[in-house]
Amino acid sequence: MLSEVLLVSAPGKVILHGEHAVVHGKVALAVSLNMRTYLQLQPHSNGKVGLNLPNIGIKRAWDVARLQLLDTNFLEQGDITPEKVEKLKEVAGFPEGCAKHDHMAVLVFLYLYLSICRKQSALPSLDIAVWSELPTGVGLGSSAAYSVCLAAALLTLCEEIPNPLKDGEATSRWTSEDLELINKWAFRGEMVTHGNPSGVDNAVSTWGGALRYQQGKISLLKRPPALKILLTNTKVPRSTKALVLGVRNRLLKFPDIVAPLLTSIDAISLECERVLGEMVAATPAPEHYLVLEELMDMNQHHLNALGVGHTSLDQLCQVTMAHGLHSKLTGAGGGGCGITLLRPDLAEPEVEATKQALASCGFDCWETSMGAPGISIHSAASLDAPIRQALGGL
């Protein structure tokens, strides 16, 4: 069992192309988002295990001795059934039938802590603090980034995987084999939250870069160059379930119209994959960015035709277009988030003016990038002071 403090981070994700079409067997491209979730694990010997989640105002602690006495056989491999989740609620000390969404983060922690650490001769005393740059519940993979961070830190603590950070290094990453194990456990954490997840979000957060997803099959793409974007949250709530159902109904009602739209979105995803491949093989050229912008415009129109647009997203596209920039929704649509591509030749005042225009619409806007590295481990000195402070002032 390791005794040093561990600091890890994992990225969120955006769907670049293929949302909704993916439900009907088409390709989706998912890309890591360099807005990260940070986790600090501090081992100690006070007989307690503590969890601090400042973003959602949760602070909990349990006696290790009490957890040690639990029968944890129900955690054995196999599906994570609603019964198992109910048992975790008992362990957490939640009242019966309690369904508060924030509590899911506590259940995921307890599930991964008990499952990964139960092989040790004794459960470890530790404090975990997690702080995230990602807004929750808007399709940016915040729950997956949380699960990936927990899995990586707990597996490293229990020496199931080695700590790859060497003395004097600022940041390091695990080997492909170790990432497989992190991803496997993170997926199980996602099952606690979502029941039947696709596995895309945790895969993007583990490996970073870009991946393609089609009919349950996930393939990693060569890491594309970091593409600078604006990520905008319209703050308009939506139901993914209702939007997916709306597309299905439209397909049933107008099969000859909607099926070609889905085929066309598939072709957009494949063309984007081809262009990103070219950008990896050679130096990205202005023409590459022009093609990426055109693909974003076409996909946005297709998504509107599927019925998953929203006036807030139209406004986002109009505002950015007025500044010569190209945007599309990302995820379920109907509000939620949109992405705007920032060409490398763009002057900073132009970007600032666009951000201010979006903010004046009442939207939240972040300047970030896609294609960031996946789960990483850091030295304390390499993290910015505000992150260290948010994690408890290292």
Side-chain angles (χ1 to χ4, degrees), residues 320-337:
T320 56
M321 187 57 84
H323 291 265
L325 301 175
H326 301 254
S327 307
K328 69 175 280 290
L329 67 85
T330 179
C337 290

Side-chain angles (χ1 to χ4, degrees), residues 150-371:
L150 280 172
L154 291 167
L155 287 165
T156 304
L157 171 78
C158 294
E159 299 182 86
E160 295 274 327
I161 56 176
N163 181 346
L165 192 69
K166 305 282 176 280
D167 279 352
E169 279 185 335
T171 296
S172 187
R173 302 204 60 223
W174 285 267
T175 64
S176 193
E177 198 180 333
D178 294 338
L179 291 174
E180 288 280 359
L181 189 62
I182 292 170
N183 188 51
K184 186 192 99 168
W185 278 109
F187 180 61
R188 295 192 68 77
E190 278 283 84
M191 285 167 82
V192 174
T193 307
H194 298 295
N196 186 24
S198 68
V200 168
D201 290 14
N202 49 279
V204 173
S205 196
T206 301
W207 274 283
L211 59 78
R212 100 201 305 260
Y213 176 78
Q214 187 174 24
Q215 295 181 327
K217 187 173 183 299
I218 295 173
S219 4
L220 295 175
L221 305 179
K222 282 205 171 114
R223 174 158 318 149
L227 297 169
K228 288 172 78 173
I229 58 163
L230 293 180
L231 174 78
T232 304
N233 183 4
T234 65
K235 299 196 274 194
V236 173
R238 75 279 183 272
S239 156
T240 301
K241 209 171 178 180
L243 289 155
V244 168
L245 188 63
V247 174
R248 189 176 294 285
N249 289 340
R250 196 168 274 201
L251 176 62
L252 291 170
K253 190 175 177 184
F254 304 111
D256 293 348
I257 299 170
V258 176
L261 282 175
L262 297 172
T263 303
S264 183
I265 290 173
D266 194 49
I268 289 171
S269 298
L270 294 173
E271 178 62 11
C272 181
E273 188 182 332
R274 188 192 67 74
V275 174
L276 291 177
E278 271 187 16
M279 293 170 86
V280 172
T283 313
E287 302 77 70
H288 290 133
Y289 288 92
L290 292 173
V291 174
L292 292 177
E293 287 178 335
E294 222 173 323
L295 293 174
M296 286 176 84
D297 290 343
M298 289 191 285
N299 198 353
Q300 180 60 20
H301 288 303
H302 281 39
L303 289 161
N304 277 330
L306 291 178
V308 297
H310 189 269
T311 50
S312 62
L313 292 163
D314 294 341
Q315 191 180 12
L316 188 163
C317 291
Q318 284 157 8
V319 166
T320 56
M321 187 57 84
H323 291 265
L325 301 175
H326 301 254
S327 307
K328 69 175 280 290
L329 67 85
T330 179
C337 290
I339 50 176
T340 306
L341 189 63
L342 300 177
R343 296 181 304 276
D345 60 351
L346 217 57
E348 193 51 42
E350 196 53 57
V351 176
E352 278 309 313
T354 310
K355 281 162 71 176
Q356 285 191 340
L358 289 165
S360 68
C361 299
F363 302 155
D364 286 340
C365 187
W366 298 271
E367 192 175 339
T368 181
S369 63
M370 302 186 294

